[in-house]
């Protein structure tokens, strides 16, 4: 099942159309997309049995109305250096622990957002984003996926000067400017994927392919990330995890390449779709 945030209201995506969750459930669930995670099991149970109109009968999707599938996560985890080739290009040895930071939740936006570029060097990072569906602590690998509500596409946009200045890097600040957390276009539940641990992911900047890999290349896969994070933190329904980016970022290209005004960033993950982000110069 695919669940979207359409103009601030939870919607089930069916074929080429959308069905409003609050209307279809007589107000039992939604309309706030974030509220679905408070009753995720009951919601998915209802959604799996409800009779949905076919694509022709449901409302067409207004792509510009797509907001973040998880608009107000309480916790945003982000993982650095989770693909060996990216760790190498960034100049780091393989780490014995996933490098963990946050993107402050105010940076989270949806698909087709226009991001105002701050001064500096703004870079792209396509990432699989994992959304938590059930509270979790001290998970084991075997049950980890049972706590995942779904997957979506994320861009971990980064301003590299802010990120790397100082004697200890400022990962969280440099990656949290307004609009620096595009997510979407919708949430796809894990049962929709034939091979949920091996999804092609890529991104292109204004038509030029910049990154291309598979999530099976992660050093710490989704179950392992959930084990490591839940060993320390209580994972809450509606939390999101940016799971790291493969190689091909602009900061490590020769010559370096950064996002400019009028660039269009298209990110793609197999089985989820595409996430488009546009940019404009700061005013
Ligand atoms: Zn990242």
């Amino acid at each position: 099942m695919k669940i979207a945030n359409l103009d601030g209201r939870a919607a089930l995506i069916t074929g080429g159309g959308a069905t409003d969750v609050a209307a279809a459930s007589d107000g039992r669930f939604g309309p706030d997309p974030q509220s679905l995670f408070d009753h995720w099991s009951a919601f998915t149970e209802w959604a799996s049995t409800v009779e949905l109109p076919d694509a022709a009968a449901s409302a067409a999707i207004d792509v510009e109305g797509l907001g973040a599938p998880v608009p107000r996560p309480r916790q945003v985890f982000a993982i650095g250096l989770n693909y060996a080739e990216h760790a190498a290009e960034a100049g780091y040895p393989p780490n014995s622990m996933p490098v963990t930071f946050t993107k402050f939740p105010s940076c989270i936006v949806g698909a087709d957002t226009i991001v105002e570029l701050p001064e500096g060097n703004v870079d792209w990072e396509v990432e699989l984003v994992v959304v938590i569906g059930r509270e979790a602590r001290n998970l084991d690998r075997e049950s980890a996926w049972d706590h995942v509500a779904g997957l979506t596409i994320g861009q971990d946009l980064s301003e590299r000067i802010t990120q790397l200045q100082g004697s200890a890097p400022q990962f969280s600040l440099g990656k949290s400017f307004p609009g620096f957390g595009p997510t979407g276009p919708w949430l796809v539940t894990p049962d929709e994927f034939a091979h949920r641990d091996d999804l092609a992911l890529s991104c292109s900047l204004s038509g030029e392919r910049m990154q291309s890999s598979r999530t099976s290349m992660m050093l710490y896969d989704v179950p392992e990330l959930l084990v490591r994070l839940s060993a320390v933190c209580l994972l809450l329904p509606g939390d999101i995890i940016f799971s790291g980016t493969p190689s091909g970022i602009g900061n490590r290209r020769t010559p370096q390449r950064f996002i400019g005004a009028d660039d269009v960033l298209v990110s793609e993950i197999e089985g989820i779709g595409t996430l488009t982000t546009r940019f404009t110069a700061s005013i």
Side-chain angles (χ1 to χ4, degrees), residues 78-81 86 101 103 124-127 155-158 160 171 175 242-246 249:
I79 306 300
L81 311 173
H86 172 61
F101 56 94
K103 292 174 77 69
W124 55 85
E125 294 187 355
V126 63
E127 307 199 4
Q155 261 293 340
D156 177 18
L157 296 176
S158 313
R160 299 298 187 196
F171 274 49
K175 291 163 171 277
F242 284 75
S243 60
T245 200
I249 61 169

Side-chain angles (χ1 to χ4, degrees), residues 193-225:
F193 299 90
H195 303 288
R196 61 195 180 185
D197 286 302
D198 182 28
L199 306 173
L201 80 169
S202 63
C203 81
S204 301
L205 186 68
S206 295
E208 184 181 346
R209 176 64 61 95
M210 295 298 186
Q211 296 185 283
S212 181
S213 189
R214 305 192 68 86
T215 59
S216 53
M217 301 296 284
M218 286 181 185
L219 298 174
Y220 299 94
D221 63 9
V222 171
E224 196 61 29
L225 289 177

Side-chain angles (χ1 to χ4, degrees), residues 6 9-12 18-25 29 31 46:
L6 263 183
R9 296 177 66 90
L12 289 165
T19 297
D20 188 83
V21 166
S25 69
F29 301 105
W46 166 80

Side-chain angles (χ1 to χ4, degrees), residues 37-57:
F37 302 102
D38 298 337
H39 312 281
W40 187 254
S41 298
F43 165 69
T44 52
E45 199 173 311
W46 166 80
S48 65
T49 56
V50 69
E51 191 122 338
L52 293 169
D54 60 23

